Amino acid sequence: MKFANAEEKRIYMTQEPVEKLVCTLAVPTILSMMITSFYNMADTFFVGKLNTQSTAAVGVVFSLMAVIQAIGFLFGHGSGNYISRQLGAGNMEEAEKMSAVGFFTSFFAGVVILLVCMCLIEPLSYALGSTPTVQPYTVAYMRIILLGAPAMTASLVLNNQMRFQGSAFYAMIGIVSGAVVNIVLDPFFIFICGMGVAGAALATTISQYLSFILLIIMVKKGGNIQLRFRNFQPSLHFYKEIIRGGIPALFRQGLASVATIFLNHAAGVYGDAAIAGMSIVSRIMMFANSALIGFGQGFQPVCGFNYGAGKNDRVLKAYWFCVKSSFVVLSVMAVVVFLFAPQFVAIFQKEDADVIKVGTAALRYSVISFPLSAWIVMCNMMLQSIGKGLKASIVASARQGIFFLPLIAILPKLLGLTGVEACQAVSDVFALTISIPLGFSVIREMKAADAENHP
């Protein structure tokens, strides 16, 4: 739907039936997330045709990419959440300033990451979990990936700011175009040009800059607030809001990176095949989770706009719709993946039987707890969108931080490789137990506020 201005969009976001609104906004975000995840999987798929060490290297560097993405999500979610609430309340000038602060700061942060990591690339490769046999491939892949850091962080900010303004379709165009280019360039650079794992990195970096350029073009469409350097007015107030709204995303994504590093080290005890197998499972689960996250991202602008407008009943109605719908879909997906786990793993690595064995076991453990994410993820997104930063951060940290990190240290000692494979599933169960009371505490607050405002 096209809007002439931000006010017209605000009316639409606060009056359209929430089920229809969430689904309309979720379709492009689901497609965007799944295609983005798919092109991340493309590196693993094509590199898997080379050797086990190259596959493992992509998995190792993925944890660094997750850190870079976490910085982008910090500024993207932090500024985007604030923008949606301000637009819901009709504060246009404040939203424009936040847009500029979030975007330009994230770009500068990407440049700093590029320079620092390039200087430390050799020790960094081992810190991320490389073994001596995997390390040369890791450095070759990482060196080129780092060149795309500024585009990666800034693109995530633009994507999230547009999404929180209800312009998910335009955000999708920029992200999906880059993903398609990456998938096309992967085999060209890897095989035709003979660049190997470095070719996969080059394809990814080029696609990141293409997405960056397209998103700058797309932000000028659909009634979005315009990105202007004169609005770049950094202040403690804006950075506090970015931290409050973005820390949960930073924790979620950043701890995923830390968890991957610890997972690589734990799996490395059992050889390169174990690292490669867990890397494949991480990519498959990331793809499956992308649909859930995309659906939740369709909910977030609805949540932010309506909470900012004081319409808590619409926030809660949209929330329960998302939880129930996603639980059903995730349950079906879990059954399918569990039954065909060996076939899914073999898509990425057919030659190494040990990789398939590890990957199959880990994938089956992971999908057993998959439906629990319906509550965990939606609860996290609701808390984040309404500005409950502390509670959102706790929920975001639970799956791959508060519970995963201690478990990845304990379970392998008790269960060996099985402990590595089952760690995420056990962590998910514990995460649910902490997210339920936190979610209901805020639900009760919103119901009480509604009762007070509408006796």
Side-chain angles (χ1 to χ4, degrees), residues 301-378:
V302 178
C303 182
F305 267 86
N306 285 280
Y307 187 78
K311 298 188 176 185
N312 293 342
D313 58 326
R314 285 172 58 83
V315 174
L316 294 176
K317 189 175 182 180
Y319 176 71
W320 286 114
F321 169 72
C322 290
V323 170
K324 293 173 183 177
S325 301
S326 56
F327 180 80
V328 172
V329 174
L330 294 184
S331 297
V332 173
M333 290 175 64
V335 171
V336 173
V337 174
F338 186 92
L339 293 175
F340 298 98
Q343 289 83 354
F344 280 108
V345 176
I347 291 172
F348 300 92
Q349 179 60 268
K350 294 180 180 179
E351 290 77 18
D352 196 324
D354 289 335
V355 172
I356 295 175
K357 182 180 178 181
V358 171
T360 297
L363 186 56
R364 282 179 168 160
Y365 282 121
S366 296
V367 297
I368 288 173
S369 63
F370 195 31
L372 304 182
S373 298
W375 176 276
I376 298 168
V377 171
M378 293 302 168

Side-chain angles (χ1 to χ4, degrees), residues 29 58 120 180 191 197 200 220 261 266 321 324 329 341 351 437 440:
T29 55
V58 172
L120 301 172
V180 171
F191 304 116
V197 70
K220 298 178 181 179
I261 293 170
F321 169 72
K324 293 173 183 177
V329 174
E351 290 77 18
F440 272 110

Side-chain angles (χ1 to χ4, degrees), residues 54-252:
S54 293
T55 305
V58 172
V60 169
V61 178
F62 180 67
S63 58
L64 174 63
M65 292 177 68
V67 171
I68 298 171
Q69 290 169 349
I71 300 300
F73 281 128
L74 167 67
F75 291 102
H77 282 254
S79 61
N81 276 306
Y82 185 77
I83 287 168
S84 69
R85 293 197 302 273
Q86 294 305 310
L87 290 177
N91 299 328
M92 184 73 171
E93 183 179 349
E94 190 79 351
E96 289 179 337
K97 290 179 180 178
M98 176 58 92
S99 175
V101 170
F103 172 77
F104 289 109
T105 306
S106 71
F107 185 85
F108 299 145
V111 173
V112 172
I113 292 170
L114 163 62
L115 297 176
V116 172
C117 290
M118 279 292 193
C119 293
L120 301 172
I121 196 164
E122 295 282 345
L124 183 59
S125 65
Y126 284 112
L128 294 173
S130 284
T131 62
T133 51
V134 171
Q135 195 264 356
Y137 299 91
T138 301
V139 171
Y141 188 75
M142 191 193 310
R143 182 174 283 115
I144 299 174
I145 285 293
L146 283 170
L147 296 175
M152 195 181 303
T153 54
S155 293
L156 285 169
V157 172
L158 286 174
N159 177 52
N160 281 286
Q161 286 186 356
M162 283 195 284
R163 183 173 58 77
F164 276 104
Q165 293 177 67
S167 295
F169 175 77
Y170 294 106
M172 179 191 72
I173 292 174
I175 297 297
V176 169
S177 298
V180 171
V181 168
N182 187 50
I183 293 168
V184 172
L185 291 180
D186 257 337
F188 175 76
F189 287 131
I190 294 171
F191 304 116
I192 297 176
C193 296
M195 294 179 65
V197 70
L202 181 58
T204 298
T205 299
I206 290 173
S207 71
Q208 291 289 346
Y209 278 99
L210 176 63
S211 290
F212 175 65
I213 293 168
L214 288 174
L215 284 167
I216 288 178
I217 296 171
M218 291 297 110
V219 79
K220 298 178 181 179
K221 303 179 181 295
N224 295 305
I225 54 179
Q226 296 303 296
L227 189 64
R228 298 183 176 93
F229 188 75
R230 68 169 181 266
N231 289 326
F232 179 50
Q233 301 175 24
S235 70
L236 186 59
H237 162 67
F238 285 127
Y239 287 123
K240 279 183 177 179
E241 290 295 336
I242 286 173
I243 290 172
R244 187 169 71 149
I247 278 290
L250 177 66
F251 281 177
R252 184 171 59 243

